[in-house]
Amino acid sequence: MTWHWIGLTFFSITLLPAGLAMATGHVPKRLRPRLAPTPPRGWAVLALYAAAPLNSLPRLAGASPTIILVATATAGIVATAGCAVAAIASHRTASAAS
């Protein structure tokens, strides 16, 4: 139970602010050439962040195993969608640069 709280706190402190900043386009100028396109990558980071609460909150609340299983499967789907968004954004950027 303690590890769920630690993981939730860690991901909330690191991924949530970074994802929100990237999704709104607030990135330091020196990182802009590396992170183009920034907003889709921000949404991808937020999707990866969403997996942490979806996985840990039902467990912390003492939900039934069925609800925990559904929440964990949903977290996996959301994380996979975030990875797909990042891959598509990177592919489009590489295609546009060619």
Side-chain angles (χ1 to χ4, degrees):
M1 201 63 97
T2 303
W3 288 108
H4 288 288
W5 282 111
I6 292 169
L8 191 59
T9 303
F10 177 74
F11 285 116
S12 295
I13 290 172
T14 57
L15 290 180
L16 185 59
L20 287 173
M22 288 172 63
T24 58
H26 293 88
V27 177
K29 294 217 184 271
R30 68 177 187 266
L31 292 178
R32 285 193 189 270
R34 283 193 229 161
L35 295 176
T38 305
R41 289 189 185 195
W43 287 110
V45 170
L46 288 175
L48 290 173
Y49 164 74
L54 281 171
N55 190 13
S56 63
L57 289 178
R59 295 172 194 270
L60 292 171
S64 70
T66 305
I67 293 175
I68 291 172
L69 180 65
V70 169
T72 302
T74 304
I77 292 168
V78 169
T80 304
C83 291
V85 166
I88 291 169
S90 297
H91 179 69
R92 285 188 179 172
T93 302
S95 297
S98 299

